[in-house]
Amino acid sequence: MAPGLIAVVLHYGSLAKFAELARNAHPGWLLPALGAQIGTYVFAALSWRQVLHRAGERRPFRTLFRLSVAKLYTDQAIPTGGVSGSILVMKALNRRGLSNSIGMAALLVSMVTHYAADVVAAITALGLLWLHQDADLAALGLVSAFVVVEIAIPVAVLWAKSRASDGQLPAWITRLPVTEDAIEAVAAAPDELLRDPRLIAETFLCQLAIILLDSLTLWLVSRAISAPIDYWMAFCGYTIGDAVAMVAPSPLGLGTFEAGTTGTLALLGMPVEAALSATILLRGLTFWLPMIPGLWIARHEVSRL
């Protein structure tokens, strides 16, 4: 059974709650929230387009936008810090004539800037909590663990690329299952793209824009249910929830994010019931609503690989 279908079965209660909340929500706030989510797909597509243009490879924006829907869905369904969705996009572009080396470079740039944006957002959220005297040792420990994981993964991949390019990779790594082919693909990625500061800055801003738009979505849905909060609170709620989901991943990425976001909003003074309702609405817009097109596109692309 596909991950999306499993999610529907296991979390039917939250899906039904989302539908109920959406029916009762104020459309004047809910429609802009939907627009903010469409914006996340636009910036995801732009981040890949920047890399491809810099490499001299141009693909129709509508294709990249379509793949971005599948990417963000896949990232939600298979929580791997953005890697699963990036691999799907890379394979889909390979099928459309993009070379493995350029595709891998695009994946690496996307991965590095994705993690960098996550780290900046998490540290900023912790700083905001500290300024408002809501930071504690638990928040510090969570963000610290999140930052360590987010930094360790791209550093390890880039270290492996550097060593593989020089032929100095330890032998025990190459003996790991399916590692040899992956390392060869990583080593073949052109260093020029990874060392282009302008490209890194542009894709980083695209990744950061996605986080800000997701936070904006939470801010808007809180108003849709007549429980308004400040934007900085929505930003902290979304970012801490994302950190919890990364440090303590759950099947399909559901449960831990809701707990982290709801708990953070409640800590910041939002009534628990309203915080949970806003989180469910956010989750509905980021996961449930794009599930059908995201699942269909992902299955279509996988079936043609």
Side-chain angles (χ1 to χ4, degrees):
M1 186 180 292
L5 296 179
I6 297 175
V8 172
V9 173
L10 296 180
H11 299 274
Y12 176 78
S14 61
L15 176 59
K17 183 64 175 177
F18 163 66
E20 177 186 351
L21 289 168
R23 283 196 301 270
N24 297 326
H26 195 290
W29 292 108
L30 201 57
L31 291 177
L34 179 60
Q37 278 306 294
I38 293 175
T40 62
Y41 307 135
V42 171
F43 279 102
L46 285 174
S47 69
W48 282 85
R49 190 181 72 165
Q50 294 304 109
V51 181
L52 297 182
H53 280 196
R54 198 60 52 86
E57 297 279 353
R58 295 182 179 272
R59 296 295 184 277
F61 183 79
R62 64 179 180 274
T63 297
L64 297 177
F65 180 85
R66 182 173 176 272
L67 292 175
S68 74
V69 177
K71 176 188 183 304
L72 291 183
Y73 163 78
T74 305
D75 288 341
Q76 296 274 358
I78 310 173
T80 54
V83 174
S84 55
S86 294
I87 291 176
L88 173 65
V89 175
M90 187 190 75
K91 294 294 186 182
L93 291 174
N94 285 160
R95 186 176 61 80
R96 291 169 169 84
L98 189 70
S99 66
N100 286 331
S101 60
I102 299 300
M104 182 56 69
L107 186 151
L108 292 177
V109 171
S110 176
M111 178 189 68
V112 169
T113 54
H114 171 88
Y115 285 123
D118 278 352
V119 168
V120 169
I123 294 175
T124 301
L126 183 63
L128 289 170
L129 292 175
W130 179 79
L131 286 174
H132 291 83
Q133 300 181 340
D134 289 307
D136 54 17
L137 289 178
L140 177 60
L142 170 66
V143 172
S144 298
F146 178 71
V147 169
V148 168
V149 171
E150 295 280 296
I151 292 177
I153 295 175
V155 166
V157 172
L158 294 177
W159 173 84
K161 172 178 169 50
S162 175
R163 289 302 185 105
S165 299
D166 297 335
Q168 299 178 352
L169 201 65
W172 64 269
I173 293 182
T174 60
R175 289 195 293 268
L176 294 175
V178 304
T179 300
E180 185 175 357
D181 291 341
I183 290 175
E184 288 179 358
V186 170
D191 291 332
E192 294 78 12
L193 296 176
L194 295 170
R195 294 174 180 173
D196 186 332
R198 180 179 175 182
L199 176 61
I200 296 298
E202 289 172 349
T203 51
F204 168 80
L205 290 176
C206 288
Q207 299 291 346
L208 188 60
I210 293 173
I211 297 173
L212 295 176
L213 284 171
D214 280 329
S215 302
L216 177 62
T217 304
L218 180 56
W219 182 80
L220 289 166
V221 298
S222 72
R223 278 159 171 70
I225 61 173
S226 301
I229 56 175
D230 294 336
Y231 179 79
W232 74 268
M233 297 169 63
F235 174 79
C236 289
Y238 174 80
T239 304
I240 297 300
D242 191 45
V244 173
M246 181 66 176
V247 174
S250 64
L252 304 165
L254 296 169
T256 51
F257 174 83
E258 288 85 344
T261 299
T262 301
T264 302
L265 293 177
L267 175 68
L268 295 175
M270 193 176 187
V272 174
E273 183 175 347
L276 179 59
S277 296
T279 302
I280 291 175
L281 267 178
L282 170 68
R283 192 60 160 165
L285 291 173
T286 60
F287 184 81
W288 297 116
L289 204 58
M291 175 178 290
I292 294 178
L295 176 60
W296 183 85
I297 296 170
R299 286 173 61 90
H300 178 73
E301 292 296 335
V302 169
S303 68
R304 300 181 67 181
L305 294 180

